Amino acid sequence: MRSPLFVFDLMDTLIQDPFHLALKELLPREHWEDFKNGREKQAFLDFEMGRIEEEDFFQRFYLDPYKDKGLPHPKDLKEKMFSRINPIPETLEIVKSLKEKGFSVVLASNYSIWYKEVMKFPEIAELLHSLDALYFSCEMGVRKPAQEYYQWIETDFPGKDYVFIDDNPTNVEVAGYMNWNAFKFNPKKPEELKEFLTEQYPNCL
């Protein structure tokens, strides 16, 4: 029997995504549509894949017609985002338990160089540093759900029973195509993850 490798997403799986929390604080609801339509989405993807620097990302953050609409400056968003980090306690406890039991656990995150801001929070940094590997899209040049992302992990940890936990349904679906044991995490129902793991891997927790 192959030994399991537990692969966890970061945002809305281990911690609440600070982007959405910051946006709610900085932008009244009536302007959300402008924000949604006004962002240059490719800039976000390029930043997450490490193709552009932070200043380039800031400059490209909004499409030209939206740059003077009073939307929050991306620097202010960043400052608000990392003024605090809210862990999802149930998932953190599961990861700690898996590591204490001697299981291999890695992080697989679509995230920009801003992950270093997350690592400034001791509780999160301690947990992430305890993992067997950290995969960030900005350092890989590829984002989930590209198969190359999953294959990278398979190359580093060959012959494992890959157990994938992520809140994004497309990421989970592609992991399933890769014959990974994939679980769609619901941050509003974190207890479901423990039920899944204890059913699939009775001695893991």
Side-chain angles (χ1 to χ4, degrees), residues 66-123:
Y66 290 84
K67 287 184 176 178
D68 296 318
K69 284 204 167 189
L71 297 172
H73 194 283
K75 288 184 179 180
D76 295 331
L77 267 173
K78 179 187 176 184
E79 182 177 350
K80 179 64 71 174
M81 283 170 64
F82 301 113
S83 62
R84 70 178 188 277
I85 290 291
N86 296 325
I88 299 176
E90 294 87 347
T91 323
L92 264 60
E93 287 306 312
I94 285 173
V95 172
K96 290 175 184 177
S97 180
L98 289 171
K99 289 303 300 175
E100 288 170 1
K101 291 283 187 73
F103 289 101
S104 297
V105 183
V106 302
L107 182 81
S109 174
N110 284 346
Y111 215 62
S112 68
I113 196 67
W114 287 356
Y115 80 81
K116 294 184 178 181
E117 301 297 324
V118 176
M119 299 290 270
K120 292 177 181 179
F121 292 83
E123 180 182 10

Side-chain angles (χ1 to χ4, degrees), residues 39-58 60-61 74 78 81-82 110-115 117 136-143:
R39 291 175 62 195
E40 187 196 317
K41 295 175 177 58
Q42 188 58 46
F44 171 76
L45 298 176
D46 287 344
F47 190 44
E48 278 203 342
M49 287 187 283
R51 294 175 177 172
I52 59 174
E53 301 294 329
E54 182 181 75
E55 281 305 315
D56 295 323
F57 177 56
F58 287 159
R60 290 175 51 190
F61 195 87
K78 179 187 176 184
M81 283 170 64
F82 301 113
N110 284 346
Y111 215 62
S112 68
I113 196 67
W114 287 356
Y115 80 81
E117 301 297 324
F136 290 104
S137 58
C138 65
E139 295 175 343
M140 301 166 68
V142 63
R143 298 173 76 255

Side-chain angles (χ1 to χ4, degrees), residues 152-203:
W152 194 314
I153 297 173
E154 290 179 343
T155 299
D156 289 347
F157 295 88
K160 296 287 188 179
D161 177 10
Y162 305 98
V163 188
F164 183 74
I165 298 101
D166 196 304
D167 68 298
N168 183 296
T170 305
N171 296 344
V172 170
E173 183 178 7
V174 173
Y177 292 152
M178 304 285 293
N179 294 315
W180 289 24
N181 190 0
F183 176 82
K184 183 186 176 302
F185 182 77
N186 183 350
K188 295 181 179 178
K189 297 180 179 179
E191 68 281 357
E192 292 179 346
L193 175 58
K194 186 173 183 179
E195 295 170 4
F196 165 79
L197 291 176
T198 52
E199 178 183 324
Q200 299 274 326
Y201 306 91
N203 299 317

Side-chain angles (χ1 to χ4, degrees), residues 11-71:
M11 295 301 167
D12 284 335
T13 302
L14 292 179
I15 66 175
Q16 294 179 20
D17 190 337
F19 179 80
H20 302 300
L21 298 173
L23 189 61
K24 287 179 181 178
E25 291 189 30
L26 290 177
L27 189 65
R29 180 177 287 272
E30 59 265 26
H31 296 300
W32 285 8
E33 194 67 21
D34 275 345
F35 183 85
K36 178 182 176 182
N37 295 330
R39 291 175 62 195
E40 187 196 317
K41 295 175 177 58
Q42 188 58 46
F44 171 76
L45 298 176
D46 287 344
F47 190 44
E48 278 203 342
M49 287 187 283
R51 294 175 177 172
I52 59 174
E53 301 294 329
E54 182 181 75
E55 281 305 315
D56 295 323
F57 177 56
F58 287 159
Q59 290 175 8
R60 290 175 51 190
F61 195 87
Y62 293 117
L63 299 168
D64 286 341
Y66 290 84
K67 287 184 176 178
D68 296 318
K69 284 204 167 189
L71 297 172

